[in-house]
Amino acid sequence: MLIPKGIYKLNPVDFNGPCKGSTAVRIDGNLKASTDISAEAWISFNYVDWLLVDGSGTVDGQGASVWGKSGQPHSISLVFNFVKNSKISNLNLINSKSVHLKLFKSEKVMISGVKIRAPENSPNTDGICIADSLDIQVQNSNIACGDDCISMLSGNENVEISGVACGPGHGISIGSLGQSLGDSNGLTGLHVRNCSFTGTQNGLRIKTWAPSSSGLVSNLIYEDIHMESADNPIIIDQHYCPSRQCDNQAQSSIQIKNVTFRNVQGDSSTPVAVNIQCSSKVPCSEFKLQDINLSYSGREGVVKSECLNVDGQAYGQQHPPGCF
């Protein structure tokens, strides 16, 4: 399927498999969403194997029409449900009503060369959201949005992120996990490398609720990372509560273990460049900090690290000094 150059208005549409053989969709035109969409997804691909979506066009969610309004769901621009052995490349996604691109229950999918743009103050406009998926790669992409550049929810396994430039946005995040008590929450096998963060609210972030259901987040590697004026370059928050109306004594039941931060360089716009706050109920374990060099870009104060309920080791350069 080819969408040629031009400007086209498109109402919500589902492309449902299964399909025989490979399927290619090329978007060279400018697709514009209706401003009165109330559907959960604008464009979705479901139960398709060997799918290629690429092109030089733009997927414009026209999110300004709903940002700040409540009472109805805000559509995700591009959704891939139960998609396998597929590739999404070179698209421009702008101004989604909520998340720009989401993978759910998908396997062996590569996202490469995409550009995502939304204003810094646009609400809940995550760049890429990945949930319950296996063997996912995100490569060589540029994401600027009003929420997480990449968010990873529970159920993911073996996710590789490389060559991503993030900013503005809320960083590359795991979570939030554990908000719904009784659900199983976990993630294993994440490798983030050669990525940059410019003017972001966070850099490398893990967030879990307290109290929470049980779960395990493990086998994470972050390496060769550059920060430029990131508010929280390295942050783990196991008492995530954006409303601030939570039980301060509650503890998360999600354990975080076997996590490595290696060669993280640059500067922090706040004095606490490394902030690892774990649960006393299931403390963080097997943490490694290696060659961390983060300075404070503010006029006054000394850069520092703060840790709670974490067991780990530090190697090589440690600026700020490690807190294990």
Side-chain angles (χ1 to χ4, degrees):
M1 183 172 68
L2 168 65
I3 300 172
K5 292 183 178 180
I7 299 174
Y8 308 94
K9 183 177 178 180
L10 180 68
N11 284 320
V13 58
D14 293 333
F15 295 97
N16 297 312
C19 302
K20 294 182 179 179
S22 60
T23 303
V25 177
R26 183 169 180 88
I27 302 173
D28 286 334
N30 185 346
L31 297 178
K32 288 184 173 289
S34 171
T35 57
D36 59 1
I37 289 177
S38 60
E40 181 179 350
W42 174 27
I43 304 169
S44 64
F45 296 88
N46 310 298
Y47 299 96
V48 183
D49 290 357
W50 306 106
L51 171 67
L52 172 63
V53 180
D54 71 352
S56 59
T58 298
V59 178
D60 182 355
Q62 300 212 86
S65 62
V66 300
W67 292 335
K69 297 181 181 180
S70 60
Q72 66 179 26
H74 294 165
S75 297
I76 301 170
S77 285
L78 199 55
V79 181
F80 298 84
N81 297 313
F82 301 92
V83 169
K84 297 181 179 180
N85 304 305
S86 299
K87 184 175 182 180
I88 304 130
S89 61
N90 303 318
L91 293 180
N92 297 295
L93 292 93
I94 64 172
N95 299 330
S96 179
K97 292 177 172 63
S98 63
V99 177
H100 286 79
L101 191 159
K102 183 174 182 178
L103 299 180
F104 176 71
K105 292 286 186 180
S106 294
E107 184 176 340
K108 294 184 179 178
V109 176
M110 176 184 289
I111 301 171
S112 177
V114 301
K115 295 181 180 179
I116 296 175
R117 289 285 184 276
E120 184 175 3
N121 61 353
S122 57
N124 301 313
T125 53
D126 296 56
I128 298 171
C129 178
I130 306 170
D132 285 306
S133 295
L134 170 67
D135 294 335
I136 305 300
Q137 297 181 54
V138 181
Q139 299 178 349
N140 305 323
S141 297
N142 196 305
I143 304 173
C145 57
D147 210 298
D148 296 329
C149 290
I150 300 176
S151 61
M152 285 157 286
L153 304 182
S154 63
N156 290 316
E157 185 175 351
N158 296 335
V159 176
E160 295 187 6
I161 300 171
S162 62
V164 170
C166 170
H170 294 184
I172 293 178
S173 297
I174 293 174
S176 58
L177 303 180
Q179 183 177 12
S180 299
L181 296 177
D183 293 342
S184 177
N185 292 277
L187 180 150
T188 182
L190 169 67
H191 191 180
V192 179
R193 60 183 175 84
N194 192 28
C195 293
S196 63
F197 300 80
T198 303
T200 54
Q201 186 183 93
N202 306 288
L204 310 172
R205 186 186 194 192
I206 304 173
K207 47 186 175 176
T208 72
W209 290 79
S212 72
S213 54
S214 61
L216 175 65
V217 175
S218 65
N219 300 327
L220 316 178
I221 299 175
Y222 303 90
E223 62 180 343
D224 301 329
I225 306 296
H226 180 74
M227 304 284 178
E228 184 175 338
S229 296
D231 288 354
N232 304 288
I234 296 175
I235 180 168
I236 295 176
D237 179 4
Q238 290 215 261
H239 205 287
Y240 177 70
C241 181
S243 69
R244 299 304 171 196
Q245 297 178 354
C246 300
D247 181 359
N248 292 329
Q249 303 303 313
Q251 296 295 318
S252 176
S253 297
I254 297 173
Q255 185 174 34
I256 304 172
K257 65 182 294 185
N258 192 10
V259 180
T260 297
F261 297 95
R262 181 186 299 122
N263 190 28
V264 181
Q265 312 283 333
D267 61 82
S268 169
S269 59
T270 61
V272 183
V274 178
N275 192 358
I276 301 175
Q277 304 293 314
C278 298
S279 170
S280 63
K281 187 175 182 179
V282 280
C284 296
S285 64
E286 301 176 46
F287 269 54
K288 296 179 182 179
L289 292 176
Q290 181 177 349
D291 294 326
I292 308 299
N293 185 13
L294 294 166
S295 60
Y296 175 40
S297 59
R299 294 183 179 181
E300 299 178 0
V302 177
V303 68
K304 59 183 178 179
S305 57
E306 295 182 353
C307 296
L308 180 68
N309 302 316
V310 56
D311 176 67
Q313 295 178 313
Y315 306 89
Q317 184 179 25
Q318 293 296 318
H319 184 74
C323 52
F324 294 162

Coordinates of all heavy atoms in Angstrom, one line a residue, residues 232-274:
N232 N 17.5 14.9 36.1 CA 17.8 13.7 37.0 C 18.5 12.7 36.1 O 17.8 11.8 35.5 CB 16.5 13.1 37.6 CG 15.8 14.1 38.4 OD1 16.2 14.5 39.5 ND2 14.6 14.6 37.8
P233 N 19.8 12.8 35.9 CA 20.4 11.9 34.9 C 20.2 10.4 35.2 O 19.9 9.6 34.3 CB 21.9 12.2 35.0 CG 21.9 13.7 35.5 CD 20.7 13.8 36.4
I234 N 20.4 10.0 36.5 CA 20.1 8.6 36.9 C 19.2 8.6 38.0 O 19.5 9.2 39.1 CB 21.4 7.8 37.3 CG1 22.4 7.7 36.1 CG2 21.1 6.5 37.8 CD1 23.7 7.1 36.4
I235 N 18.0 8.1 37.9 CA 17.0 8.1 38.9 C 16.2 6.8 39.0 O 15.6 6.4 38.0 CB 16.1 9.4 38.8 CG1 15.1 9.4 39.9 CG2 15.4 9.4 37.4 CD1 14.3 10.7 40.0
I236 N 16.1 6.3 40.2 CA 15.3 5.1 40.5 C 14.4 5.5 41.6 O 14.8 5.9 42.7 CB 16.1 3.9 40.8 CG1 16.9 3.4 39.6 CG2 15.2 2.7 41.3 CD1 17.8 2.3 39.9
D237 N 13.1 5.5 41.4 CA 12.1 6.0 42.4 C 11.1 4.8 42.6 O 10.2 4.6 41.8 CB 11.4 7.2 41.8 CG 10.3 7.7 42.8 OD1 10.2 7.2 43.9 OD2 9.6 8.7 42.4
Q238 N 11.2 4.2 43.8 CA 10.3 3.1 44.1 C 9.2 3.5 45.0 O 8.5 2.7 45.7 CB 11.1 1.9 44.8 CG 12.0 1.2 43.7 CD 12.1 -0.3 44.0 OE1 13.0 -0.8 44.6 NE2 11.0 -1.0 43.6
H239 N 9.0 4.8 45.1 CA 7.8 5.4 45.8 C 7.2 6.4 44.8 O 6.9 7.6 45.2 CB 8.2 6.0 47.1 CG 7.1 6.0 48.1 ND1 6.0 6.9 47.9 CD2 6.8 5.3 49.2 CE1 5.2 6.7 48.9 NE2 5.6 5.7 49.7
Y240 N 7.0 6.0 43.6 CA 6.4 6.9 42.6 C 5.0 7.3 42.9 O 4.2 6.5 43.2 CB 6.5 6.2 41.2 CG 5.9 7.0 40.1 CD1 6.6 8.2 39.6 CD2 4.7 6.7 39.5 CE1 6.0 8.9 38.6 CE2 4.2 7.4 38.4 CZ 4.9 8.5 38.0 OH 4.3 9.2 36.9
C241 N 4.8 8.6 43.0 CA 3.4 9.1 43.3 C 3.3 10.5 42.8 O 3.5 11.5 43.5 CB 3.2 9.1 44.8 SG 1.6 9.6 45.4
P242 N 2.9 10.7 41.5 CA 2.9 12.0 40.9 C 1.8 12.9 41.6 O 2.0 14.1 41.6 CB 2.5 11.7 39.5 CG 1.9 10.4 39.5 CD 2.6 9.6 40.6
S243 N 0.8 12.3 42.2 CA -0.2 13.2 42.8 C 0.2 13.6 44.2 O -0.4 14.5 44.8 CB -1.6 12.4 42.9 OG -1.5 11.3 43.8
R244 N 1.2 12.9 44.8 CA 1.7 13.2 46.1 C 0.6 12.9 47.2 O 0.7 13.4 48.3 CB 2.2 14.6 46.3 CG 3.4 14.9 45.4 CD 4.5 14.0 45.6 NE 5.5 14.1 44.5 CZ 6.5 13.2 44.3 NH1 6.5 12.1 45.0 NH2 7.4 13.4 43.4
Q245 N -0.4 12.1 46.9 CA -1.4 11.8 47.8 C -1.3 10.3 48.1 O -2.3 9.5 47.9 CB -2.8 12.1 47.3 CG -3.0 13.7 47.2 CD -4.4 14.0 46.6 OE1 -5.2 13.2 46.3 NE2 -4.7 15.3 46.6
C246 N -0.2 9.8 48.6 CA 0.1 8.4 48.8 C 0.6 8.2 50.2 O 1.0 9.1 50.9 CB 1.2 7.9 47.8 SG 0.7 8.1 46.1
D247 N 0.6 6.9 50.6 CA 1.1 6.6 51.9 C 2.6 6.6 51.9 O 3.3 5.8 51.3 CB 0.6 5.2 52.3 CG 1.0 4.7 53.7 OD1 1.8 5.5 54.4 OD2 0.7 3.6 54.0
N248 N 3.2 7.5 52.7 CA 4.6 7.7 52.7 C 5.4 6.5 53.3 O 6.6 6.3 53.2 CB 5.0 9.0 53.4 CG 4.6 10.2 52.7 OD1 4.6 10.2 51.4 ND2 4.3 11.3 53.4
Q249 N 4.6 5.7 54.1 CA 5.2 4.6 54.8 C 5.1 3.3 53.9 O 5.8 2.3 54.3 CB 4.6 4.3 56.1 CG 4.6 5.5 57.1 CD 6.0 6.0 57.3 OE1 6.9 5.2 57.6 NE2 6.3 7.3 57.2
A250 N 4.4 3.3 52.9 CA 4.2 2.1 52.1 C 5.5 1.8 51.3 O 6.3 2.7 51.0 CB 3.0 2.3 51.1
Q251 N 5.7 0.5 51.0 CA 6.9 0.1 50.3 C 6.5 -0.7 49.1 O 5.5 -1.5 49.1 CB 7.8 -0.8 51.2 CG 8.3 0.0 52.4 CD 9.3 1.1 52.0 OE1 10.1 1.0 51.1 NE2 9.1 2.3 52.7
S252 N 7.3 -0.6 48.0 CA 7.1 -1.3 46.8 C 7.5 -2.8 47.0 O 8.4 -3.1 47.7 CB 7.9 -0.7 45.7 OG 7.8 -1.5 44.5
S253 N 6.7 -3.7 46.3 CA 7.1 -5.1 46.3 C 7.8 -5.6 45.1 O 8.0 -6.7 44.8 CB 5.8 -5.9 46.5 OG 5.2 -5.6 47.8
I254 N 8.2 -4.6 44.2 CA 8.9 -4.9 43.0 C 10.4 -4.8 43.2 O 10.9 -3.8 43.6 CB 8.4 -4.0 41.8 CG1 7.0 -4.2 41.5 CG2 9.3 -4.2 40.6 CD1 6.4 -3.2 40.6
Q255 N 11.1 -5.9 43.0 CA 12.5 -5.9 43.2 C 13.3 -5.6 41.9 O 12.9 -6.0 40.8 CB 13.0 -7.3 43.7 CG 14.5 -7.2 44.0 CD 15.0 -8.5 44.7 OE1 14.6 -9.6 44.3 NE2 16.0 -8.4 45.6
I256 N 14.3 -4.8 42.1 CA 15.1 -4.3 41.0 C 16.5 -4.9 41.3 O 17.1 -4.6 42.3 CB 15.2 -2.8 40.8 CG1 13.8 -2.3 40.7 CG2 16.0 -2.4 39.7 CD1 13.7 -0.7 40.7
K257 N 17.1 -5.7 40.3 CA 18.4 -6.3 40.6 C 19.2 -6.4 39.3 O 18.6 -6.4 38.2 CB 18.2 -7.7 41.2 CG 17.5 -8.7 40.4 CD 17.3 -10.0 41.1 CE 18.6 -10.7 41.4 NZ 18.4 -12.0 42.0
N258 N 20.5 -6.6 39.4 CA 21.4 -6.8 38.3 C 21.3 -5.7 37.3 O 20.9 -5.9 36.2 CB 21.2 -8.2 37.7 CG 22.3 -8.5 36.7 OD1 23.4 -7.9 36.7 ND2 22.1 -9.6 35.9
V259 N 21.7 -4.5 37.8 CA 21.6 -3.3 36.9 C 23.0 -2.6 36.8 O 23.7 -2.5 37.9 CB 20.6 -2.3 37.5 CG1 20.6 -1.0 36.7 CG2 19.3 -2.9 37.7
T260 N 23.5 -2.3 35.6 CA 24.8 -1.7 35.4 C 24.6 -0.3 34.7 O 23.9 -0.2 33.7 CB 25.7 -2.6 34.5 OG1 25.9 -3.8 35.2 CG2 27.0 -1.9 34.2
F261 N 25.3 0.7 35.3 CA 25.4 2.0 34.6 C 26.9 2.2 34.3 O 27.7 2.2 35.2 CB 24.9 3.1 35.5 CG 23.5 3.0 35.9 CD1 23.0 2.4 37.1 CD2 22.5 3.6 35.0 CE1 21.7 2.4 37.4 CE2 21.2 3.5 35.4 CZ 20.7 2.9 36.5
R262 N 27.2 2.2 33.0 CA 28.6 2.3 32.6 C 28.9 3.4 31.6 O 28.2 3.6 30.7 CB 29.0 0.9 32.0 CG 30.4 0.8 31.5 CD 30.7 -0.4 30.7 NE 30.4 -1.6 31.5 CZ 29.6 -2.6 31.2 NH1 28.9 -2.5 30.1 NH2 29.4 -3.6 31.9
N263 N 29.9 4.2 32.0 CA 30.3 5.4 31.1 C 29.1 6.3 30.8 O 28.7 6.5 29.7 CB 30.9 4.9 29.8 CG 31.5 6.0 29.0 OD1 32.0 7.0 29.5 ND2 31.5 5.8 27.7
V264 N 28.6 6.9 31.9 CA 27.6 7.9 31.8 C 28.2 9.3 32.1 O 28.8 9.5 33.2 CB 26.5 7.7 32.9 CG1 25.4 8.7 32.7 CG2 25.9 6.3 32.7
Q265 N 28.2 10.1 31.1 CA 29.0 11.4 31.1 C 28.1 12.6 30.9 O 27.0 12.4 30.3 CB 30.1 11.4 30.0 CG 30.9 10.1 29.9 CD 31.9 10.0 31.0 OE1 32.4 11.0 31.5 NE2 32.3 8.8 31.4
G266 N 28.5 13.8 31.3 CA 27.8 15.0 31.0 C 27.5 15.8 32.2 O 28.3 15.9 33.1
D267 N 26.4 16.5 32.2 CA 26.1 17.4 33.3 C 24.6 17.3 33.7 O 23.7 17.0 32.9 CB 26.5 18.8 33.1 CG 25.8 19.4 31.9 OD1 24.6 19.9 32.0 OD2 26.3 19.4 30.8
S268 N 24.4 17.6 35.0 CA 23.0 17.6 35.6 C 22.6 19.0 35.9 O 23.4 19.8 36.4 CB 23.1 16.7 36.9 OG 21.9 16.9 37.6
S269 N 21.4 19.3 35.7 CA 20.9 20.6 36.0 C 20.4 20.7 37.5 O 20.0 21.8 37.9 CB 19.7 21.0 35.1 OG 18.7 20.1 35.2
T270 N 20.5 19.6 38.2 CA 20.2 19.6 39.7 C 21.4 19.0 40.4 O 22.2 18.3 39.8 CB 18.9 18.7 40.0 OG1 19.2 17.4 39.6 CG2 17.7 19.3 39.2
P271 N 21.5 19.3 41.7 CA 22.7 18.8 42.4 C 22.8 17.3 42.6 O 23.9 16.8 42.7 CB 22.6 19.5 43.8 CG 21.7 20.7 43.6 CD 20.7 20.3 42.5
V272 N 21.6 16.6 42.6 CA 21.7 15.2 42.8 C 21.6 14.5 41.4 O 20.6 14.4 40.8 CB 20.4 14.7 43.6 CG1 20.5 13.2 43.9 CG2 20.4 15.5 45.0
A273 N 22.8 14.1 41.0 CA 22.9 13.6 39.6 C 22.6 12.1 39.6 O 22.2 11.5 38.6 CB 24.3 13.8 39.1
V274 N 22.9 11.4 40.7 CA 22.6 10.0 40.8 C 21.7 9.8 42.0 O 22.1 10.1 43.2 CB 23.9 9.1 41.0 CG1 23.6 7.7 41.2 CG2 24.8 9.3 39.9

